[in-house]
Amino acid sequence: MRVRPSIVLAKGECLSVSASLDDDRLPVLEEVEKAAVAAFSGDEGIERLEGLKRVLAYNAVYGGLLLSYICGPIVPISRAHIDATIELTEKGEERGLSDGEILRAWAFIYAGEEERGLSLLEGMTVFPVKLGWRVGKGAQVLPVGVEVNLSEDLPRSSSP
């Protein structure tokens, strides 16, 4: 199994938006990788993670663009598969977003106006690294955050 990088793009008071990205320059935190891989074997490893690490692990398992609730028990709320790409840059505006702004952006994304919705969130990534980002030519948002090689990753049957 290979866990692809996930990143928290935006965070409000109780909501966050994260993405699994096709960009190997981003780190995959060891704890997040172990929890995401364990989730495929029925282990509840993700539940042991705290804060935004749990958001990243859920994003790895579910893939795509993920809206999560982060106050109290951290849970994924909604997922979107998008065609828009995300350009990561060295500089970006650090912004304080409200949950209302995040929900407004998510409504556009979910209605198929991906670029419009994402542009409302553009600025500085939140976790695990601080990078600027904007909608544009760059990393694809992956529909799957954990790649499984069926011939290698699944247990083999001992019966003929």
Side-chain angles (χ1 to χ4, degrees):
M1 286 187 198
R2 178 180 178 204
V3 177
R4 302 305 305 258
S6 294
I7 194 161
V8 178
L9 298 173
K11 180 176 163 285
E13 298 93 13
C14 287
L15 297 174
S16 72
V17 176
S18 57
S20 291
L21 296 179
D22 185 16
D23 190 325
D24 291 327
R25 298 173 297 167
L26 296 171
V28 177
L29 301 176
E30 184 177 349
E31 290 172 273
V32 170
E33 182 174 20
K34 286 180 181 178
V37 168
F40 280 87
S41 64
D43 186 346
E44 295 180 5
I46 292 176
E47 303 305 319
R48 289 190 283 273
L49 294 177
E50 293 186 17
L52 294 177
K53 288 180 183 179
R54 187 182 293 186
V55 170
L56 296 181
Y58 277 129
N59 196 248
V61 170
Y62 293 119
L65 202 61
L66 194 66
L67 176 67
S68 297
Y69 177 76
I70 57 173
C71 290
I74 295 170
V75 293
I77 298 170
S78 181
R79 175 180 63 176
H81 293 278
I82 63 171
D83 293 325
T85 56
I86 293 174
E87 181 180 356
L88 297 173
T89 63
E90 289 184 21
K91 295 181 181 176
E93 180 185 347
E94 210 162 326
R95 300 175 51 196
L97 294 168
S98 70
D99 287 345
E101 290 169 307
I102 290 175
L103 286 174
R104 182 172 185 259
W106 195 260
F108 284 120
I109 293 165
Y110 219 73
E113 295 185 53
E114 301 165 356
E115 290 185 15
R116 184 175 180 189
L118 286 169
S119 69
L120 296 173
L121 302 174
E122 288 177 337
M124 182 74 72
T125 62
V126 179
F127 189 76
V129 293
K130 296 256 187 191
L131 293 170
W133 75 275
R134 62 180 172 244
V135 181
K137 295 182 180 173
Q140 176 187 6
V141 177
L142 298 170
V144 176
V146 177
E147 296 173 357
V148 178
N149 183 332
L150 295 178
S151 63
E152 295 176 12
D153 293 330
L154 294 180
R156 299 183 194 278
S157 172
S158 58
S159 59

